[in-house]
Amino acid sequence: MNSNDMQANQSSSDSNKPIYILAIETSCDETSVAIVENGTVIKANIVSSQIETHERFGGVVPELASRKHVESITWIIEEAFEKSGVAPSELSAIAVTQGPGLIGALLVGVVAAKALAYALELPLIAVHHIAGHIYANQLVHELRYPLVSLVVSGGHTELVYIEAEGSFKIIGQTRDDAAGEAYDKVARALKLPYPGGPYIDRLAEEDGEALPLPRAWLEPDSYDFSFSGLKSAVLAALNQANMKGLPLDPRSVAKGFQASVVEVLVEKALRAVKAYGAKQLLLAGGVAANQGLRQQLAVRCAEANVPLLTPPLGLCTDNAAMIGAAAFLKFQRGQFTSLDFKAEPLLSLEEWSV
């Protein structure tokens, strides 16, 4: 059965029947499968993290990540069915992350999704990973358009203008290191465990003076970001202090580094909301779990009378429920994907728009 036949069969189904989408996410180092009802209700969201596997290397090893996905994907699919109480025959579609991500990791999820869609004769929906992070908010909030989303994750730092449902325009992005990458590199310099972001976040909340560090504002009208210079400034300060025999307090470094990152993220996001007339500001991505960022955004949004939407911590990091939420946008429009599609490590968010 081809994708057009699947679409026709789906269109003729009972309109009152719940739409259950089984979603798969394997873009990096989490293997996740979820079943989401009508794009908003999580029936199951199983996540298997590989942090312990990669921790000894101080970062994700792509080949190991792929192998772990292969080992985990089958039993995680089975667990999602068991926990949700949804039978395979009740599913309406299969969704999977197409990109961006690590090519080997993506392929594991793509192959599993294709096999399920073919075996169950269901439509297939390829999803953009960042669209998933943004629409994780839809699982807990009602979205009002137009809106602006601040996406902050390990590999992405972007400001996205969303004029209408599923319509993405990137108005600002990192020119070098993403915020999450900078956190991990600074944490490594401080000899903190991987992933370093949560450790720096906790240290930054402790008492102590913040190390004075620069802010990279770039051009006056730019919404872009740059954290490579900040990372270099931290490394230089650490080296100079060690050469003098006066090592810096890690709490001071963490506090200064986080203050610099957060101030730039928050101020540019608020400026974009005002310039684009957004009704809401959404926070998305793994670094959205950062307490310092969440707290400062909440303060500034309250001052500016801008509604701030943040996902719960469990939906900030990579998970399949967010892929199911984004897939529902395509499902509603009958925008299904052929079985011969390929994983795309550099997939464009704007081109994925519905």
Side-chain angles (χ1 to χ4, degrees), residues 262-341:
V262 168
E263 183 178 350
V264 173
L265 290 174
V266 170
E267 295 309 315
K268 292 205 173 196
L270 267 294
R271 182 156 55 84
V273 167
K274 182 177 180 180
Y276 283 84
K279 295 180 180 178
Q280 295 172 328
L281 174 61
L282 273 60
L283 184 58
V287 184
N290 183 284
Q291 292 302 311
L293 176 58
R294 291 167 82 99
Q295 291 165 9
Q296 191 58 32
L297 267 178
V299 170
R300 290 289 288 110
C301 284
E303 293 173 352
N305 197 28
V306 174
L308 173 65
L309 274 56
T310 59
L313 299 184
L315 294 177
C316 290
T317 52
D318 293 350
N319 67 92
M322 70 183 195
I323 302 303
F328 189 68
L329 305 179
K330 296 276 189 178
F331 183 91
Q332 289 176 298
R333 295 161 175 79
Q335 297 176 353
F336 302 129
T337 310
S338 64
L339 285 170
D340 61 354
F341 86 94

Side-chain angles (χ1 to χ4, degrees), residues 158-175:
E158 297 162 345
L159 278 169
V160 184
Y161 174 59
I162 307 171
E163 184 176 11
E165 185 179 71
S167 174
F168 305 102
K169 179 183 178 182
I170 296 175
I171 59 175
Q173 58 192 325
T174 184
R175 297 182 182 180

Side-chain angles (χ1 to χ4, degrees), residues 188-200:
R188 193 176 303 126
L190 292 174
K191 297 181 171 53
L192 298 173
Y194 172 84
Y199 292 94
I200 289 182

Side-chain angles (χ1 to χ4, degrees), residues 3 36 63 114 188 190 212 237 253 256 261 273-274 289 304 323 353:
S3 59
V36 179
E63 178 62 23
K114 288 182 178 182
R188 193 176 303 126
L190 292 174
V253 177
V261 173
V273 167
K274 182 177 180 180
I323 302 303
S353 294

Side-chain angles (χ1 to χ4, degrees), residues 20 59 91 116 127 159 198 202 273:
Y20 293 122
L91 293 178
L116 277 173
V127 176
L159 278 169
R202 287 195 287 270
V273 167

Side-chain angles (χ1 to χ4, degrees), residues 156-231:
H156 297 267
T157 303
E158 297 162 345
L159 278 169
V160 184
Y161 174 59
I162 307 171
E163 184 176 11
E165 185 179 71
S167 174
F168 305 102
K169 179 183 178 182
I170 296 175
I171 59 175
Q173 58 192 325
T174 184
R175 297 182 182 180
D176 39 60
D177 287 348
E181 290 173 319
Y183 267 93
D184 284 338
K185 290 175 181 177
V186 169
R188 193 176 303 126
L190 292 174
K191 297 181 171 53
L192 298 173
Y194 172 84
Y199 292 94
I200 289 182
D201 189 20
R202 287 195 287 270
L203 279 177
E205 293 300 311
E206 295 185 13
D207 293 335
E209 297 247 345
L211 175 69
L213 289 168
R215 272 70 167 154
W217 296 108
L218 305 176
E219 301 82 9
D221 60 346
S222 176
Y223 295 112
D224 283 352
F225 303 97
S226 173
F227 298 108
S228 180
L230 173 61
K231 171 205 67 183

